[in-house]
PDB file of all heavy atoms in Angstrom:
ATOM      1  N   ILE A 186     -14.452  -6.931   7.129  1.00 97.00           N
ATOM      2  CA  ILE A 186     -14.658  -6.675   8.540  1.00 97.00           C
ATOM      3  C   ILE A 186     -14.055  -7.846   9.326  1.00 97.00           C
ATOM      4  O   ILE A 186     -13.424  -7.647  10.427  1.00 97.00           O
ATOM      5  CB  ILE A 186     -16.236  -6.656   8.834  1.00 97.00           C
ATOM      6  CG1 ILE A 186     -16.797  -5.489   8.168  1.00 97.00           C
ATOM      7  CG2 ILE A 186     -16.441  -6.515  10.363  1.00 97.00           C
ATOM      8  CD1 ILE A 186     -18.360  -5.439   8.162  1.00 97.00           C
ATOM      9  N   GLY A 187     -14.089  -9.034   8.821  1.00 96.00           N
ATOM     10  CA  GLY A 187     -13.461 -10.165   9.460  1.00 96.00           C
ATOM     11  C   GLY A 187     -11.980 -10.055   9.743  1.00 96.00           C
ATOM     12  O   GLY A 187     -11.428 -10.757  10.633  1.00 96.00           O
ATOM     13  N   GLN A 188     -11.329  -9.191   9.096  1.00 95.00           N
ATOM     14  CA  GLN A 188      -9.867  -8.962   9.240  1.00 95.00           C
ATOM     15  C   GLN A 188      -9.575  -8.327  10.614  1.00 95.00           C
ATOM     16  O   GLN A 188      -8.435  -8.194  11.007  1.00 95.00           O
ATOM     17  CB  GLN A 188      -9.256  -8.223   8.138  1.00 95.00           C
ATOM     18  CG  GLN A 188      -9.226  -8.913   6.788  1.00 95.00           C
ATOM     19  CD  GLN A 188      -8.602  -8.171   5.754  1.00 95.00           C
ATOM     20  OE1 GLN A 188      -7.507  -7.608   5.831  1.00 95.00           O
ATOM     21  NE2 GLN A 188      -9.257  -8.123   4.520  1.00 95.00           N
ATOM     22  N   GLY A 189     -10.672  -7.727  11.229  1.00 94.00           N
ATOM     23  CA  GLY A 189     -10.521  -7.144  12.479  1.00 94.00           C
ATOM     24  C   GLY A 189     -10.609  -8.185  13.586  1.00 94.00           C
ATOM     25  O   GLY A 189     -10.094  -7.853  14.710  1.00 94.00           O
ATOM     26  N   PHE A 190     -11.064  -9.335  13.335  1.00 93.00           N
ATOM     27  CA  PHE A 190     -11.201 -10.351  14.395  1.00 93.00           C
ATOM     28  C   PHE A 190      -9.964 -11.258  14.274  1.00 93.00           C
ATOM     29  O   PHE A 190      -9.920 -12.315  13.497  1.00 93.00           O
ATOM     30  CB  PHE A 190     -12.418 -11.244  14.191  1.00 93.00           C
ATOM     31  CG  PHE A 190     -13.762 -10.442  14.422  1.00 93.00           C
ATOM     32  CD1 PHE A 190     -14.455  -9.790  13.400  1.00 93.00           C
ATOM     33  CD2 PHE A 190     -14.305 -10.341  15.691  1.00 93.00           C
ATOM     34  CE1 PHE A 190     -15.548  -9.033  13.556  1.00 93.00           C
ATOM     35  CE2 PHE A 190     -15.437  -9.584  15.881  1.00 93.00           C
ATOM     36  CZ  PHE A 190     -16.093  -8.954  14.888  1.00 93.00           C
ATOM     37  N   THR A 191      -9.010 -10.942  15.027  1.00 91.00           N
ATOM     38  CA  THR A 191      -7.701 -11.660  14.936  1.00 91.00           C
ATOM     39  C   THR A 191      -7.503 -12.731  16.079  1.00 91.00           C
ATOM     40  O   THR A 191      -8.119 -12.563  17.133  1.00 91.00           O
ATOM     41  CB  THR A 191      -6.447 -10.688  14.974  1.00 91.00           C
ATOM     42  OG1 THR A 191      -6.564 -10.008  16.196  1.00 91.00           O
ATOM     43  CG2 THR A 191      -6.591  -9.696  13.858  1.00 91.00           C
ATOM     44  N   PHE A 192      -6.739 -13.709  15.705  1.00 89.00           N
ATOM     45  CA  PHE A 192      -6.396 -14.740  16.739  1.00 89.00           C
ATOM     46  C   PHE A 192      -4.953 -15.183  16.381  1.00 89.00           C
ATOM     47  O   PHE A 192      -4.431 -15.040  15.272  1.00 89.00           O
ATOM     48  CB  PHE A 192      -7.481 -15.840  16.755  1.00 89.00           C
ATOM     49  CG  PHE A 192      -7.628 -16.573  15.412  1.00 89.00           C
ATOM     50  CD1 PHE A 192      -6.999 -17.678  15.208  1.00 89.00           C
ATOM     51  CD2 PHE A 192      -8.567 -16.047  14.584  1.00 89.00           C
ATOM     52  CE1 PHE A 192      -7.131 -18.336  13.936  1.00 89.00           C
ATOM     53  CE2 PHE A 192      -8.786 -16.725  13.344  1.00 89.00           C
ATOM     54  CZ  PHE A 192      -8.035 -17.802  12.997  1.00 89.00           C
ATOM     55  N   ASN A 193      -4.395 -15.908  17.344  1.00 85.00           N
ATOM     56  CA  ASN A 193      -3.052 -16.527  17.107  1.00 85.00           C
ATOM     57  C   ASN A 193      -3.100 -17.933  16.557  1.00 85.00           C
ATOM     58  O   ASN A 193      -3.662 -18.702  17.024  1.00 85.00           O
ATOM     59  CB  ASN A 193      -2.255 -16.340  18.457  1.00 85.00           C
ATOM     60  CG  ASN A 193      -0.750 -16.643  18.179  1.00 85.00           C
ATOM     61  OD1 ASN A 193      -0.316 -17.824  17.925  1.00 85.00           O
ATOM     62  ND2 ASN A 193       0.024 -15.624  18.344  1.00 85.00           N
ATOM     63  N   LEU A 194      -2.345 -18.074  15.538  1.00 81.00           N
ATOM     64  CA  LEU A 194      -2.166 -19.452  14.924  1.00 81.00           C
ATOM     65  C   LEU A 194      -0.711 -19.631  14.537  1.00 81.00           C
ATOM     66  O   LEU A 194      -0.435 -19.860  13.361  1.00 81.00           O
ATOM     67  CB  LEU A 194      -3.088 -19.519  13.647  1.00 81.00           C
ATOM     68  CG  LEU A 194      -3.371 -20.931  13.093  1.00 81.00           C
ATOM     69  CD1 LEU A 194      -4.198 -21.780  14.198  1.00 81.00           C
ATOM     70  CD2 LEU A 194      -4.157 -20.915  11.813  1.00 81.00           C
ATOM     71  N   GLY A 195       0.143 -19.492  15.513  1.00 74.00           N
ATOM     72  CA  GLY A 195       1.564 -19.475  15.205  1.00 74.00           C
ATOM     73  C   GLY A 195       2.016 -18.123  14.781  1.00 74.00           C
ATOM     74  O   GLY A 195       3.191 -17.860  14.643  1.00 74.00           O
ATOM     75  N   GLY A 196       1.047 -17.281  14.534  1.00 78.00           N
ATOM     76  CA  GLY A 196       1.229 -15.917  14.003  1.00 78.00           C
ATOM     77  C   GLY A 196      -0.124 -15.374  13.904  1.00 78.00           C
ATOM     78  O   GLY A 196      -1.154 -15.941  14.176  1.00 78.00           O
ATOM     79  N   THR A 197      -0.263 -14.076  13.535  1.00 85.00           N
ATOM     80  CA  THR A 197      -1.508 -13.340  13.486  1.00 85.00           C
ATOM     81  C   THR A 197      -2.364 -14.004  12.312  1.00 85.00           C
ATOM     82  O   THR A 197      -1.926 -14.089  11.226  1.00 85.00           O
ATOM     83  CB  THR A 197      -1.364 -11.918  13.263  1.00 85.00           C
ATOM     84  OG1 THR A 197      -0.613 -11.342  14.343  1.00 85.00           O
ATOM     85  CG2 THR A 197      -2.721 -11.109  13.263  1.00 85.00           C
ATOM     86  N   MET A 198      -3.605 -14.309  12.606  1.00 92.00           N
ATOM     87  CA  MET A 198      -4.551 -14.782  11.648  1.00 92.00           C
ATOM     88  C   MET A 198      -5.921 -14.158  11.994  1.00 92.00           C
ATOM     89  O   MET A 198      -6.089 -13.671  13.069  1.00 92.00           O
ATOM     90  CB  MET A 198      -4.673 -16.341  11.774  1.00 92.00           C
ATOM     91  CG  MET A 198      -5.616 -16.949  10.710  1.00 92.00           C
ATOM     92  SD  MET A 198      -5.261 -16.550   8.976  1.00 92.00           S
ATOM     93  CE  MET A 198      -3.741 -17.384   8.687  1.00 92.00           C
ATOM     94  N   ASN A 199      -6.788 -14.027  10.950  1.00 95.00           N
ATOM     95  CA  ASN A 199      -8.034 -13.429  11.132  1.00 95.00           C
ATOM     96  C   ASN A 199      -9.061 -14.145  10.261  1.00 95.00           C
ATOM     97  O   ASN A 199      -8.733 -14.939   9.373  1.00 95.00           O
ATOM     98  CB  ASN A 199      -8.045 -11.967  10.847  1.00 95.00           C
ATOM     99  CG  ASN A 199      -7.727 -11.642   9.423  1.00 95.00           C
ATOM    100  OD1 ASN A 199      -8.390 -12.017   8.547  1.00 95.00           O
ATOM    101  ND2 ASN A 199      -6.613 -10.787   9.321  1.00 95.00           N
ATOM    102  N   TYR A 200     -10.330 -13.884  10.565  1.00 96.00           N
ATOM    103  CA  TYR A 200     -11.379 -14.692   9.895  1.00 96.00           C
ATOM    104  C   TYR A 200     -11.628 -14.235   8.390  1.00 96.00           C
ATOM    105  O   TYR A 200     -12.124 -14.986   7.602  1.00 96.00           O
ATOM    106  CB  TYR A 200     -12.795 -14.481  10.606  1.00 96.00           C
ATOM    107  CG  TYR A 200     -12.775 -15.140  11.990  1.00 96.00           C
ATOM    108  CD1 TYR A 200     -12.665 -14.390  13.131  1.00 96.00           C
ATOM    109  CD2 TYR A 200     -12.760 -16.496  12.010  1.00 96.00           C
ATOM    110  CE1 TYR A 200     -12.623 -14.997  14.414  1.00 96.00           C
ATOM    111  CE2 TYR A 200     -12.804 -17.141  13.287  1.00 96.00           C
ATOM    112  CZ  TYR A 200     -12.678 -16.405  14.433  1.00 96.00           C
ATOM    113  OH  TYR A 200     -12.700 -17.025  15.694  1.00 96.00           O
ATOM    114  N   GLY A 201     -11.163 -12.988   8.077  1.00 97.00           N
ATOM    115  CA  GLY A 201     -11.204 -12.618   6.682  1.00 97.00           C
ATOM    116  C   GLY A 201     -10.262 -13.347   5.851  1.00 97.00           C
ATOM    117  O   GLY A 201     -10.670 -13.879   4.720  1.00 97.00           O
ATOM    118  N   TRP A 202      -9.065 -13.635   6.344  1.00 97.00           N
ATOM    119  CA  TRP A 202      -8.020 -14.449   5.637  1.00 97.00           C
ATOM    120  C   TRP A 202      -8.460 -15.957   5.512  1.00 97.00           C
ATOM    121  O   TRP A 202      -8.176 -16.550   4.570  1.00 97.00           O
ATOM    122  CB  TRP A 202      -6.652 -14.294   6.281  1.00 97.00           C
ATOM    123  CG  TRP A 202      -6.124 -12.908   6.251  1.00 97.00           C
ATOM    124  CD1 TRP A 202      -6.560 -11.940   5.433  1.00 97.00           C
ATOM    125  CD2 TRP A 202      -5.095 -12.389   7.105  1.00 97.00           C
ATOM    126  NE1 TRP A 202      -5.806 -10.779   5.725  1.00 97.00           N
ATOM    127  CE2 TRP A 202      -4.886 -11.040   6.676  1.00 97.00           C
ATOM    128  CE3 TRP A 202      -4.292 -13.000   8.118  1.00 97.00           C
ATOM    129  CZ2 TRP A 202      -3.958 -10.210   7.337  1.00 97.00           C
ATOM    130  CZ3 TRP A 202      -3.321 -12.162   8.729  1.00 97.00           C
ATOM    131  CH2 TRP A 202      -3.189 -10.824   8.330  1.00 97.00           C
ATOM    132  N   ILE A 203      -9.077 -16.388   6.655  1.00 97.00           N
ATOM    133  CA  ILE A 203      -9.563 -17.790   6.676  1.00 97.00           C
ATOM    134  C   ILE A 203     -10.594 -17.988   5.566  1.00 97.00           C
ATOM    135  O   ILE A 203     -10.576 -19.006   4.842  1.00 97.00           O
ATOM    136  CB  ILE A 203     -10.164 -18.112   7.996  1.00 97.00           C
ATOM    137  CG1 ILE A 203      -9.144 -18.171   9.086  1.00 97.00           C
ATOM    138  CG2 ILE A 203     -11.009 -19.437   7.977  1.00 97.00           C
ATOM    139  CD1 ILE A 203      -8.117 -19.357   8.938  1.00 97.00           C
ATOM    140  N   LEU A 204     -11.479 -16.983   5.394  1.00 97.00           N
ATOM    141  CA  LEU A 204     -12.568 -17.066   4.257  1.00 97.00           C
ATOM    142  C   LEU A 204     -11.881 -17.139   2.922  1.00 97.00           C
ATOM    143  O   LEU A 204     -12.201 -17.920   2.084  1.00 97.00           O
ATOM    144  CB  LEU A 204     -13.461 -15.811   4.348  1.00 97.00           C
ATOM    145  CG  LEU A 204     -14.456 -15.651   3.219  1.00 97.00           C
ATOM    146  CD1 LEU A 204     -15.435 -16.785   3.092  1.00 97.00           C
ATOM    147  CD2 LEU A 204     -15.135 -14.336   3.261  1.00 97.00           C
ATOM    148  N   ALA A 205     -10.806 -16.270   2.776  1.00 98.00           N
ATOM    149  CA  ALA A 205     -10.113 -16.230   1.415  1.00 98.00           C
ATOM    150  C   ALA A 205      -9.440 -17.583   1.154  1.00 98.00           C
ATOM    151  O   ALA A 205      -9.448 -18.116  -0.002  1.00 98.00           O
ATOM    152  CB  ALA A 205      -9.127 -15.121   1.397  1.00 98.00           C
TER     153      ALA A 205
END
Side-chain angles (χ1 to χ4, degrees):
I186 299 172
Q188 291 179 50
F190 294 92
T191 61
F192 57 93
N193 191 287
L194 194 67
T197 302
M198 182 54 70
N199 62 60
Y200 291 107
W202 298 342
I203 291 292
L204 170 64

